[in-house]
Amino acid sequence: MSDFRAVIDMGSNGIRFSITNLQGSAARILPTIFQDRASISLYNAQWATGQKQPIPQTVIDDVITHFLRFKANCSTFGANHIDVLATEATRTAVNSEDFRAQIKSKTGLSIRLLSKSEESNFGAYGIASSVHGLSGLAMDLGGGSTQMSWVSSKNGQLEFAQDGLVSLPYGAAALMQRLLEAGSDPQKQKALFSEMVTSFKAAYTKASPPDPPSKPVTMYLSGGGWRRAGHVFMARYGPLYPIPLINGFHVTGTEFSSFADTKATILSTTSQIFGVSRSKFSQLPAIEWLIKVLTAALPPLGTVYFLQGGTREGYLYASLPPSIRALDPLTVATDPYAPPHTPPNPHPTALLSSSLPNPLPLASLLPDILPALTNLHLHHLPVLPDNRPSAALYCTTSGLLASTHGLDHTRRAFLALALCERWGGKVPPVDRAFKDALQNWLGDEKVFWAKYLGKVLAILGAIWPAGEYEGELVGFRGRWEAGGEGRRAGLDVRFKRDVRTEEALLADLLEDIGKVKFGGKGQKKVDGMTIRVTPKWE
């Protein structure tokens, strides 16, 4: 199919194979219909003896075998063209020309050898594909090199500050080799640390905006080395961290700088970390060293995001028109499930929005969440009633949205809890620990509004079970009001009597809304936030 794009990403630490459907607006979330990975480290193959050598023939033969297998898979899927991208390890190989010629001869595939600037550019686009809107320092850590840039995204266009993209020879595998060469010699270690701090300070000066930000810097990290670091941080939550997807996981700058302590604490109790293979465990000292360097070289860090997008994703994302790149991944992923809407009937998102007080709580989160909630609030109707809350609870991590590219953990957790609550929120004991983990990680205020919105959705579903939204049968007016200790939100609800409207059911749902408050099992009370509901029947 012409919309299927097959890509081979020849990284320094591994080779990734994928087929992506770039049809229509769904291309924004880079829907991958096939993916595979060959654990072939072209960097390690050249440094196996401690001295740089040509890529061995056995490794070349192995690469060719994987290429031929992928070609066969592409034929099965109807992907007629394959783009092959090669980065640092191929670019600097002693026998790079022969290596590429053999692949061309045996497979018919031509290799696009990316320059440093191209590799940096696609790395930045890969990071941009992994979030909805960004502004901060982006860093893609490969096996042989690290790309750094200050990037902002506006209307689907990426803007780079000053000289833009900087490439540094400190990939995870390359840095590990430098550390091995330094050994335990304190003078060599000090010289390497000083060299890297100087290099990263200069790189930041070159890549940063003319007017450096006065607040702590937001940093976006991608590449295999950083993803492994993210899994180490994730492991500190223990076995019940609820979202086992690296994209969109984040830590504070203070937590980021404490990587060495976090790693030591985790490894004192276990020898295995989810997301860190045994073969890559040996590179964790390089990640630890790099974080120490960044802590010394960069301004104070605010939020640090760990992202999935790399060269492959960046190459595909850069090929899309800005109008597609600008779309919100959450809206794109959920729009196909939206109930039909025919003006002038009320729009469900507008109804849901009207139930919120002004000024809007969680103003940086809710405007993006509301359309997705109304798109999905009927999706689990075919599920048996007792199972609907659990099906909704898991839909963002192992269900409907598990493969959606570009979502962070906050939006996944909020959406899951709200949709679970839309169906009553009662889950069996086997799912209780997962729900508690989501709530504890998300925090009291977000949990409060997730439950509130879920219960408002239950009213919409009770009145319009088919999502037809015909007639103005209900209206909401959310507001803030003074009320004793802490804050109180008020909700005025206006119902029109209708043969389809079961007053007892609606009364129960309204009562449920009034029960939403801060605090509960596993949560501490904050502000004493409550909801007071005032219904009116016409």
Side-chain angles (χ1 to χ4, degrees):
M1 295 180 64
S2 59
D3 293 314
F4 284 5
R5 293 285 295 276
V7 176
I8 300 176
D9 177 7
M10 300 176 65
S12 298
N13 260 337
I15 303 175
R16 295 198 294 165
F17 306 85
S18 67
I19 304 173
T20 305
N21 185 356
L22 297 185
Q23 182 178 25
S25 61
R28 169 60 186 90
I29 57 176
L30 304 178
T32 302
I33 61 173
F34 174 86
Q35 56 185 321
D36 194 11
R37 183 180 185 276
S39 296
I40 300 173
S41 175
L42 295 175
Y43 185 91
N44 288 343
Q46 298 174 64
W47 288 92
T49 63
Q51 298 292 326
K52 190 169 185 178
Q53 63 178 2
I55 299 173
Q57 187 60 46
T58 54
V59 174
I60 295 175
D61 292 340
D62 198 12
V63 170
I64 289 171
T65 298
H66 280 88
F67 274 41
L68 291 173
R69 182 183 301 147
F70 183 58
K71 279 193 69 176
N73 288 332
C74 288
S75 297
T76 302
F77 282 95
N80 301 318
H81 179 75
I82 302 174
D83 293 319
V84 186
L85 311 175
T87 57
E88 177 85 5
T90 302
R91 184 171 62 239
T92 61
V94 174
N95 57 337
S96 175
E97 186 173 348
D98 176 62
F99 175 44
R100 289 178 282 126
Q102 287 194 51
I103 291 175
K104 171 69 173 177
S105 174
K106 298 292 180 61
T107 70
L109 297 174
S110 298
I111 296 176
R112 177 175 174 178
L113 196 60
L114 300 181
S115 65
K116 287 184 178 182
S117 61
E118 287 178 316
E119 187 176 348
S120 298
N121 187 62
F122 288 141
Y125 271 90
I127 287 173
S129 76
S130 304
V131 292
H132 178 49
L134 79 163
S135 179
L137 188 64
M139 189 176 299
D140 185 4
L141 177 63
S145 61
T146 297
Q147 282 71 46
M148 190 168 77
S149 55
W150 189 279
V151 187
S152 61
S153 176
K154 297 180 181 178
N155 301 318
Q157 298 280 14
L158 261 63
E159 298 179 359
F160 301 96
Q162 293 191 43
D163 295 318
L165 306 161
V166 181
S167 182
L168 298 160
Y170 303 118
L175 180 53
M176 198 65 227
Q177 181 63 34
R178 293 288 303 275
L179 290 173
L180 290 173
E181 292 172 357
S184 57
D185 187 328
Q187 293 301 318
K188 291 183 178 179
Q189 291 181 352
K190 183 178 179 180
L192 177 60
F193 187 82
S194 177
E195 170 200 323
M196 291 182 64
V197 168
T198 300
S199 296
F200 275 97
K201 281 184 175 180
Y204 179 78
T205 300
K206 184 177 181 182
S208 63
D211 299 317
S214 56
K215 58 184 180 180
V217 172
T218 300
M219 190 156 68
Y220 304 89
L221 304 177
S222 186
W226 286 134
R227 287 192 287 273
R228 289 187 286 278
H231 281 293
V232 171
F233 283 117
M234 200 180 290
R236 71 191 169 144
Y237 290 94
L240 293 181
Y241 184 78
I243 305 176
L245 307 169
I246 196 61
N247 193 79
F249 176 69
H250 66 269
V251 298
T252 66
T254 301
E255 291 168 333
F256 181 70
S257 63
S258 68
F259 178 80
D261 293 337
T262 300
K263 178 172 73 84
T265 300
I266 294 169
L267 294 182
S268 68
T269 59
T270 181
S271 60
Q272 294 183 333
I273 298 175
F274 176 78
V276 184
S277 65
R278 290 185 179 182
S279 63
K280 296 299 185 290
F281 240 95
S282 61
Q283 292 183 358
L284 289 182
I287 307 302
E288 179 180 331
W289 181 275
L290 181 55
I291 289 175
K292 290 179 180 178
V293 168
L294 294 177
T295 301
L298 300 180
L301 298 176
T303 304
V304 179
Y305 290 94
F306 296 89
L307 305 172
Q308 184 67 39
T311 300
R312 178 190 78 89
E313 290 83 1
Y315 177 71
L316 295 170
Y317 187 66
S319 72
L320 302 176
S323 59
I324 298 296
R325 295 200 298 257
L327 297 175
D328 182 348
L330 186 55
T331 303
V332 169
T334 60
D335 268 350
Y337 309 98
H341 173 251
T342 305
N345 291 319
H347 195 285
T349 301
L351 282 170
L352 189 61
S353 179
S354 67
S355 74
L356 292 166
N358 185 27
L360 187 70
L362 306 178
S364 64
L365 174 67
L366 290 185
D368 295 339
I369 289 283
L370 296 180
L373 284 173
T374 55
N375 285 346
L376 294 181
H377 85 283
L378 296 174
H379 179 72
H380 297 97
L381 187 62
V383 180
L384 290 173
D386 286 348
N387 301 124
R388 288 170 188 163
S390 291
L393 187 67
Y394 285 97
C395 75
T396 64
T397 51
S398 57
L400 182 69
L401 301 181
S403 63
T404 299
H405 182 65
L407 303 186
D408 62 32
H409 287 204
T410 299
R411 299 209 287 177
R412 288 186 187 274
F414 191 100
L415 192 64
L417 288 171
L419 291 173
C420 176
E421 204 67 32
R422 180 263 178 269
W423 296 109
K426 295 180 180 179
V427 297
V430 69
D431 298 326
R432 184 68 241 182
F434 178 70
K435 184 178 180 182
D436 286 345
L438 280 175
Q439 292 183 154
N440 291 335
W441 182 83
L442 195 58
D444 286 338
E445 185 178 13
K446 293 184 181 70
V447 170
F448 175 87
W449 290 109
K451 289 184 174 182
Y452 171 78
L453 290 170
K455 292 185 182 299
V456 174
L457 286 171
I459 292 177
L460 298 183
I463 296 174
W464 294 292
E468 70 278 22
Y469 298 103
E470 293 178 354
E472 297 183 4
L473 302 181
V474 66
F476 300 112
R477 185 176 72 90
R479 51 187 166 74
W480 293 110
E481 60 181 34
E485 297 181 3
R487 294 178 294 165
R488 173 180 284 177
L491 175 64
D492 298 328
V493 187
R494 173 182 51 80
F495 290 115
K496 285 189 176 181
R497 298 185 186 277
D498 184 88
V499 68
R500 296 170 300 175
T501 305
E502 190 176 334
E503 294 189 18
L505 171 61
L506 294 174
D508 287 343
L509 293 173
L510 290 174
E511 184 179 353
D512 282 346
I513 293 179
K515 293 177 181 177
V516 177
K517 61 182 178 180
F518 275 172
K521 184 178 179 181
Q523 296 175 293
K524 61 181 181 180
K525 293 186 181 300
V526 180
D527 284 354
M529 173 83 87
T530 57
I531 292 283
R532 186 172 69 172
V533 181
T534 307
K536 180 180 180 182
W537 292 86
E538 298 177 352

